[in-house]
Amino acid sequence: MDHQRRVLLRALGAGLGLGSAGCLTRGQTQNATDGGTETPVRNPDRPVEETPGGDTVAEQSEPTATEQSTMTEAEGRLAETTERIMDELDWFASEYQGAIAAFKEAGEEVTSTVNEVAEAVPLTKQDVRRLDGEIDRPRMDQGWPWDIWWEKGDKRWRRFDINWQEPIEDDPEPPLLDSGAIDSLRQKTDAFADTFEEELHPHFSGAGKERQFGASTIDVIEQFNTMGDAAMVVAGLIRLYEHYETVTGSKYVQENLSNDPIRNRLVKYLTASGTGPNPDPPLFELDYRGQYSHTAFVHARTVGEDRAEALAQTEPVMSINGSTSLSGELQLQSLVKPLTVDDDRVDVCYAIVNMWENTVRYSEEFPSQTIFCQRYTNTDAARSATRSLLDRNTVWQSDQIEVQIGGEGGTNWTPIVYSYESEQWYALFKQVGRTTYITGVSRRPFEHRDEDWTDPLELSWIRTGEPVQA
């Protein structure tokens, strides 16, 4: 697939998602909206050139060596991991849909080529009897047995939309297919692996496995083609057809390449390292807003099927209480609106960290905590945003209590009190590198909270327990 074609597919994917226009599902790319919108906009649209706060996107900047030298070791890990999280979410928001579209297009080109090649295979009546199972059941060997026959008696090889040749009387001379046909299959399967690697790696793994599958399958097809074994050539072509039809299908994509729930390397970025084995991994709910926006659940695959299926019935970051079943639930997006600073802001992320305990699936019973990140063009911009926020007459710093997250080796946070809808709310504030953080938002003062109120945060990257690994 050429570069221009990929660019077009990315553009179409980012604008329309995988479904038809007007038919939206969870996990589709959306345009960014204002950071204080109470209900996230779920309709994709054309790209915009503004940040969530309405400012023109400035060139993003990593912390300089001088800036990094002023951070503690834990703060350096926090800044590094946050950059990876925000960049990964930005990819899901802006690139994912187009990457999947290019991936599917490359798979369709393989199956189309298999069709063309298969229609040229000369079949004798004996080949047809063999494929129908009247003589034997051909199997591909060399490490990957392939039975072309269904136990129920269906003739599996005939179900594919291929215009197989009518059987002939005489045995054709080998090879059955010319070298150009085999080369064409190799080119298309190689192009598929290339597309996988270029579009989805390193966000998702599997490109190497796909390259190996295509090469080994065609090697065996070529072997039997040289021998003149038409039934085995057909079996190999069907194996190719079914494989690429499957891996580019909606079910496979949802299970292995999903953007909601996300189960790729983002799980590792979000989850605190160094916490030891945890039989109940945390459940993250994310609402990212940059030039495009994206909402998703993020969790490890070890959560179990029942829990994962329960998430299909709800939406992420729609309530701070781990439930969308109750009316009038408060949303994090609304609660932190008085704490937003738009100037020179690149993107934001609203996150809820849930402790997925015992047999509880998804409900208000979850112990959970909130995290709100605002990323700016550089560290100076983040510091300016910090001054702007703390200088507001509706925000007060509290010196009555000290809060540290992460225990020994963790980081200290600044308790703040602010006004939301004429009520006092309490939260923790921190600025590290070019990102500001708000966490622990609650009506309850810190002095009156249980000792374990930070437990969900200890499962998140906020803990900064161990050095970050790529």
Side-chain angles (χ1 to χ4, degrees), residues 78 85 269-275 278 282-286 320 332 350-357 366-373 403-407 410-413 426-430 437-442 446 449-466:
L78 176 60
I85 290 170
Y269 295 164
L270 290 167
T271 307
S273 56
T275 57
N278 183 7
L283 168 66
F284 296 93
E285 306 177 46
L286 303 180
I320 64 170
L332 176 61
Y350 306 90
I352 297 177
V353 189
N354 300 288
M355 295 179 67
W356 219 337
E357 296 181 327
F366 279 154
S368 62
Q369 281 297 334
T370 58
I371 303 171
F372 173 46
C373 300
V403 179
Q404 185 181 69
I405 298 175
T411 59
N412 293 319
W413 291 70
Y426 299 81
L428 297 178
F429 174 84
K430 192 171 188 63
Y437 305 82
I438 303 290
T439 190
V441 175
S442 173
F446 294 102
R449 299 188 190 187
D450 296 335
E451 291 184 358
D452 60 356
W453 78 267
T454 62
D455 284 358
L457 297 177
E458 299 286 346
L459 300 179
S460 76
W461 85 102
I462 294 296
R463 178 178 183 270
T464 63
E466 292 288 334

Side-chain angles (χ1 to χ4, degrees), residues 130-133 136-141 144-157 159-160 231-232 234-236 238-239 242:
R130 188 174 171 207
L131 289 165
D132 283 348
D136 62 9
R137 299 177 182 182
R139 293 177 180 269
M140 301 294 281
D141 59 2
W144 39 276
W146 170 247
D147 193 341
I148 205 169
W149 184 265
W150 271 352
E151 291 300 325
K152 293 182 180 179
D154 295 323
K155 295 171 179 134
R156 190 178 181 85
W157 74 285
R159 89 174 172 86
F160 296 97
M232 292 305 291
V234 167
I238 290 175
R239 177 174 173 80
E242 184 172 62

Side-chain angles (χ1 to χ4, degrees), residues 197-248:
E197 186 167 4
E198 293 169 10
E199 300 289 346
L200 296 173
H201 181 81
H203 309 281
F204 295 99
S205 61
K209 184 182 294 185
E210 287 302 324
R211 193 177 303 280
Q212 182 180 15
F213 170 84
S216 61
T217 303
I218 295 173
D219 283 346
V220 177
I221 292 175
E222 185 173 28
Q223 172 191 338
F224 285 110
N225 181 61
T226 302
M227 295 167 56
D229 191 333
M232 292 305 291
V233 169
V234 167
L237 291 172
I238 290 175
R239 177 174 173 80
L240 281 179
Y241 191 101
E242 184 172 62
H243 175 79
Y244 290 97
E245 186 181 51
T246 297
V247 299
T248 57

Side-chain angles (χ1 to χ4, degrees), residues 102-299:
F103 170 78
K104 290 190 171 187
E105 176 78 6
E108 290 172 0
E109 290 187 8
V110 176
T111 56
S112 177
T113 301
V114 171
N115 264 292
E116 295 174 6
V117 171
E119 290 173 1
V121 178
L123 297 171
T124 66
K125 291 183 177 180
Q126 185 176 12
D127 293 329
V128 173
R129 289 178 61 205
R130 188 174 171 207
L131 289 165
D132 283 348
E134 294 181 16
I135 300 176
D136 62 9
R137 299 177 182 182
R139 293 177 180 269
M140 301 294 281
D141 59 2
Q142 297 193 356
W144 39 276
W146 170 247
D147 193 341
I148 205 169
W149 184 265
W150 271 352
E151 291 300 325
K152 293 182 180 179
D154 295 323
K155 295 171 179 134
R156 190 178 181 85
W157 74 285
R158 291 174 181 254
R159 89 174 172 86
F160 296 97
D161 188 20
I162 297 173
N163 186 24
W164 305 101
Q165 288 195 18
E166 291 296 321
I168 58 178
E169 296 290 342
D170 299 328
D171 291 336
E173 294 290 330
L176 305 173
L177 299 170
D178 61 41
S179 60
I182 302 296
D183 290 343
S184 181
L185 289 173
R186 289 193 188 279
Q187 291 171 4
K188 295 301 181 182
T189 54
D190 284 346
F192 178 82
D194 289 343
T195 300
F196 195 133
E197 186 167 4
E198 293 169 10
E199 300 289 346
L200 296 173
H201 181 81
H203 309 281
F204 295 99
S205 61
K209 184 182 294 185
E210 287 302 324
R211 193 177 303 280
Q212 182 180 15
F213 170 84
S216 61
T217 303
I218 295 173
D219 283 346
V220 177
I221 292 175
E222 185 173 28
Q223 172 191 338
F224 285 110
N225 181 61
T226 302
M227 295 167 56
D229 191 333
M232 292 305 291
V233 169
V234 167
L237 291 172
I238 290 175
R239 177 174 173 80
L240 281 179
Y241 191 101
E242 184 172 62
H243 175 79
Y244 290 97
E245 186 181 51
T246 297
V247 299
T248 57
S250 298
K251 182 178 180 180
Y252 180 92
V253 169
Q254 178 62 25
E255 176 62 28
N256 298 279
L257 308 172
S258 172
N259 65 340
D260 182 26
I262 297 174
R263 291 166 294 204
N264 77 334
R265 61 183 184 167
L266 185 58
V267 176
K268 180 174 64 176
Y269 295 164
L270 290 167
T271 307
S273 56
T275 57
N278 183 7
D280 291 298
L283 168 66
F284 296 93
E285 306 177 46
L286 303 180
D287 178 3
Y288 170 83
R289 304 185 189 189
Q291 184 173 355
Y292 293 93
S293 63
H294 185 69
T295 61
F297 288 106
V298 184
H299 61 75

